[in-house]
Amino acid sequence: MPKGRSRPRPDEAPVFDTARRGEIQVDDAAVVTYEWGDGKRKVLVVHGWESRASRFAKIIGELVELGYSPVSFDAPGHGDSTGRTTNIAEYLKILTRLHREHGDFEAVVAHSLGVTATFLSMQHGLRTGRIAAISPVPEFAYLVDKFCEQLGLRDKLKDELRGRIEREMFPDEEDIWHRFSVFAGAEEVSVPILVIHDDDDDMVDPPHARRVLAAFGDHARLVTTQRLGHRRIIGAPQVVREVVDFVSVDAGRQAHGLETEAAK
């Protein structure tokens, strides 16, 4: 259950006022979708927890100008969609539904939990030519462990929490602690991957970006930033430029003043 809904910002309106809005039903929620462009060269944009599609307005605006057709949505309990709660399984339903409707995507641009959901969806047939992963949550288990760490819960309580999640949230899912992860099936992913992470991220510890980098070998690269944190990173001009270059022309190892490190 998100603690609150982030509101659209005034500078996001020029891009989102031009979107074609739609709606899909996911469980009990009406999920608002957004589309731009002529339907060619589609790029899927996936927001994270307690966020919304409009946070990508700068990236989306530039992609539209370059002739791409971004597709995005507000998850249940987020943005303009209905509902009060959501989970990674609902993200999976949304992403696979959008893939069925739009076909393969030239790229996916995702942030935070949206990155985890993207890789989970690839296990279920979503296809894309490249992935820009901003501040990636490495695995669903990380969220649970981080929550327990912040509350100072003992191992016994953490084990009980994990058991209740398995029984009550995902009773029909098997092996969620392995499958709900960026790393599950990593050996089968061969598309270019750009990982962007801030050294001052207070939500996902920076060393996890290097775990993601290492999992995908020489077709992944890491760009690091400073003083942007977990959320402001999405709209930072240097990050917008890096993502747009990666999606549009794969600007090799240009870093626009940022530190770039190739996977070893």
Side-chain angles (χ1 to χ4, degrees):
M1 180 181 293
K3 289 182 291 186
R5 290 176 187 260
S6 59
R7 298 181 179 276
R9 298 166 181 161
D11 62 345
E12 298 167 352
V15 170
F16 270 73
D17 286 348
T18 66
R20 299 186 300 278
R21 290 171 61 116
E23 187 177 290
I24 59 177
Q25 193 70 26
V26 175
D27 296 333
D28 296 328
V31 173
V32 176
T33 62
Y34 306 92
E35 298 179 36
W36 293 262
D38 60 6
K40 300 176 182 178
R41 306 174 73 191
K42 294 186 177 181
V43 177
L44 179 62
V45 179
V46 188
H47 72 76
W49 187 253
E50 294 183 348
S51 186
R52 55 186 299 140
S54 65
R55 294 295 179 260
F56 289 90
K58 294 177 181 177
I59 292 173
I60 289 171
E62 293 208 21
L63 289 176
V64 171
E65 288 184 6
L66 291 172
Y68 287 88
S69 299
V71 175
S72 194
F73 64 94
D74 291 333
H78 293 71
D80 289 343
S81 294
T82 66
R84 298 181 61 200
T85 65
T86 193
N87 56 55
I88 194 170
E90 289 188 336
Y91 266 78
L92 171 61
K93 292 176 182 178
I94 295 166
L95 297 190
T96 53
R97 168 81 174 269
L98 292 175
H99 181 246
R100 287 197 303 270
E101 292 184 359
H102 296 281
D104 295 351
F105 295 99
E106 286 204 16
V108 176
V109 179
H111 174 247
S112 192
L113 183 64
V115 177
T116 326
T118 295
F119 281 93
L120 173 61
S121 299
M122 292 179 72
Q123 299 175 43
H124 292 260
L126 186 145
R127 291 168 56 89
T128 182
R130 58 188 56 232
I131 302 167
I134 306 171
S135 309
V137 171
E139 55 220 337
F140 179 61
Y142 174 80
L143 296 178
V144 178
D145 291 345
K146 187 76 171 178
F147 173 77
C148 293
E149 175 188 319
Q150 290 174 340
L151 291 182
L153 299 184
R154 303 187 306 274
D155 287 346
K156 182 178 180 180
L157 286 176
K158 183 169 74 171
D159 291 343
E160 174 62 20
L161 176 60
R162 281 183 170 234
R164 290 190 62 177
I165 288 172
E166 293 169 0
R167 295 189 302 271
E168 298 177 19
M169 291 184 65
F170 305 109
D172 300 321
E173 299 281 354
E174 295 182 1
D175 197 17
I176 62 172
W177 307 113
H178 171 71
R179 289 197 306 107
F180 290 6
S181 167
V182 168
F183 308 115
E187 66 281 357
E188 299 176 7
V189 178
S190 59
V191 300
I193 299 170
L194 173 67
V195 180
I196 304 180
H197 206 110
D198 193 79
D199 286 341
D200 301 300
D201 192 321
D202 60 346
M203 298 287 291
V204 180
D205 298 332
H208 289 285
R210 299 187 185 278
R211 289 180 60 211
V212 175
L213 186 72
F216 294 99
D218 60 7
H219 55 277
R221 66 184 177 97
L222 172 65
V223 170
T224 60
T225 61
Q226 292 78 39
R227 297 180 297 279
L228 294 175
H230 187 72
R231 300 187 185 279
R232 288 193 300 119
I233 191 171
I234 304 172
Q238 65 267 45
V239 173
V240 172
R241 184 78 267 138
E242 193 75 37
V243 170
V244 171
D245 282 353
F246 173 74
V247 170
S248 59
V249 294
D250 189 22
R253 304 195 184 282
Q254 294 180 2
H256 302 283
L258 306 181
E259 176 194 347
T260 305
E261 179 178 331
K264 301 299 183 182

